[in-house]
Amino acid sequence: MSTYRVVVTDQVFPTVDIEREMLAEIDAELVVASGGREEVLTVAQDADALLNTYLPIDADFVSSLKRCQVVARYGIGVDNIDLEAAASADIAVTNVPDYSVEEVAAHTLTLLLALLRRLPEGVETVRAGEWNIGRTRPIRRLSEVTVGLVGFGRIAQRLARSLPPLGVRCVVFDPFLSDQARATADEHVSFVDGLEELLSSVDAVSLHCPLTPETRGLIGREQLERMPSHAVLVNTSRGPLVDLDALIFALKSGTLRGAGLDVVDPEPPEDTGRLMVPGMLVTPHMAFYSEEALQESQLKATTQVINTLTGRPLDYRVN
């Protein structure tokens, strides 16, 4: 019988060979759960640690865990885990905040450039059997464009470094940013003190916020109406940051020119057809993905489990 029991609550990776090999070194058995919440809980209730991706772990789930010491989430956000309930039960919660920074920044830049250069309209022109630039007008030179970043964490900072070489100006709104972080930011980045000020003064907005009660619905009809009608919105963070109905209305009514989404609310969308509106570019929550990023996530999340079970310090505790 193994010394420890570690349960994967929802398996999304091609294999869990990385986890199994690492955990074997501390005599830990790895069990991959399947089924719905109740089936997973039956398997997980006697676990010493959980590895988690999307499965919600609420207060009732936490209270059913008999000896769990840590819930290690493979991703960055932890909005699917009740952090207070876990802390009250003396269960550490960890994430991997730095595993896909390069990938998400690159994906965000791709969406931004595609919208600013009006690639969706260009592709539709050719599909319609036409060969002219009528549908793509107007396009502005990138050196005349300002991009606004809402939130300035690791991903946004990496994205911001990629904009000046293209001639793009960058404006940031982040009410939680320290004075030191502002002082050490790239010289090409400027800061504003209000979301409304940013929305009304830029050609593109990119969201880089965690999902919290305060940020849910951060971009709704009122905020979209503040943006210039030629502007575009990109969201590669969390779907509920944006009121999807308000966004679709803004695109259809011409209040907003374009939007690039890698995340929506809910996921998966109940009706993908409603996302196929002019000006909307949607990808299936893939910004985080590269083979290297997946392996890094598996390695780092499993390391947090091992550190907890062997009494070592944690790298990424969030509660």
Side-chain angles (χ1 to χ4, degrees):
M1 184 175 179
S2 301
T3 304
Y4 305 108
R5 190 166 185 265
V6 179
V7 171
V8 179
T9 63
D10 45 331
Q11 156 65 338
V12 300
F13 299 102
T15 75
V16 288
D17 291 345
I18 292 174
E19 294 91 326
R20 202 176 301 280
E21 291 175 11
M22 292 176 65
L23 291 168
E25 295 180 4
I26 63 166
D27 192 30
E29 172 193 16
L30 182 69
V31 179
V32 178
S34 61
R37 179 182 184 277
E38 295 307 315
E39 289 83 358
V40 174
L41 185 54
T42 299
V43 177
Q45 60 184 346
D46 292 322
D48 297 286
L50 303 182
L51 284 160
N52 167 263
T53 303
Y54 299 121
L55 184 80
I57 299 180
D58 56 19
D60 289 339
F61 194 109
V62 170
S63 67
S64 299
L65 300 174
K66 298 178 181 178
R67 65 187 197 201
C68 184
Q69 298 182 46
V70 60
V71 176
R73 189 167 187 278
Y74 284 111
I76 297 173
V78 289
D79 46 272
N80 64 315
I81 302 171
D82 190 322
L83 300 181
E84 292 185 5
S88 297
D90 199 25
I91 297 174
V93 177
T94 66
N95 66 346
V96 187
D98 54 0
Y99 84 102
S100 61
V101 172
E102 176 181 345
E103 286 76 10
V104 179
H107 198 88
T108 305
L109 179 62
T110 301
L111 291 175
L112 280 169
L113 292 178
L115 292 170
L116 291 171
R117 291 297 306 166
R118 303 193 74 153
L119 296 192
E121 291 94 329
V123 170
E124 285 304 312
T125 294
V126 177
R127 284 179 175 168
E130 303 172 16
W131 195 263
N132 58 70
I133 63 171
R135 297 190 191 195
T136 67
R137 286 177 168 163
I139 295 177
R140 299 184 63 195
R141 182 174 285 177
L142 288 179
S143 58
E144 299 296 321
V145 168
T146 301
V147 172
L149 307 182
V150 182
F152 202 55
R154 291 179 176 89
I155 294 169
Q157 290 175 31
R158 179 142 188 163
L159 174 63
R161 291 195 295 271
S162 70
L163 295 175
L166 299 172
V168 179
R169 294 186 296 276
C170 184
V171 178
V172 171
F173 168 68
D174 188 336
F176 302 103
L177 198 64
S178 67
D179 292 338
Q180 180 181 3
R182 286 185 179 228
T184 57
D186 189 280
E187 61 179 351
H188 298 287
V189 176
S190 59
F191 297 89
V192 295
D193 295 325
L195 177 60
E196 293 77 11
E197 180 182 356
L198 180 140
L199 294 175
S200 62
S201 62
V202 299
D203 306 291
V205 173
S206 184
L207 303 180
H208 299 277
C209 313
L211 179 60
T212 67
E214 292 74 27
T215 61
R216 183 178 291 273
L218 180 71
I219 303 297
R221 186 165 184 171
E222 179 182 347
Q223 289 72 33
L224 293 168
E225 290 175 349
R226 289 183 178 274
M227 296 174 63
S229 59
H230 70 268
V232 299
L233 174 73
V234 171
N235 184 16
T236 54
S237 293
R238 284 290 184 266
L241 297 178
V242 177
D243 181 331
L244 187 57
D245 290 332
L247 178 60
I248 291 173
F249 177 83
L251 292 170
K252 288 183 175 180
S253 65
T255 305
L256 193 72
R257 181 175 69 75
L261 305 179
D262 186 58
V263 288
V264 296
D265 182 32
E267 286 189 16
E270 297 170 352
D271 177 14
T272 56
R274 70 191 292 256
L275 302 176
M276 300 298 105
V277 298
M280 182 90 86
L281 182 58
V282 184
T283 54
H285 201 148
M286 59 180 284
F288 71 93
Y289 170 68
S290 73
E291 288 297 313
E292 292 81 4
L294 289 187
Q295 293 169 13
E296 184 180 5
S297 171
Q298 290 176 271
L299 186 151
K300 288 185 173 180
T302 306
T303 297
Q304 304 317 299
V305 169
I306 292 172
N307 287 353
T308 301
L309 298 181
T310 58
R312 300 172 189 169
L314 298 176
D315 301 303
Y316 309 115
R317 182 162 184 164
V318 296
N319 69 333

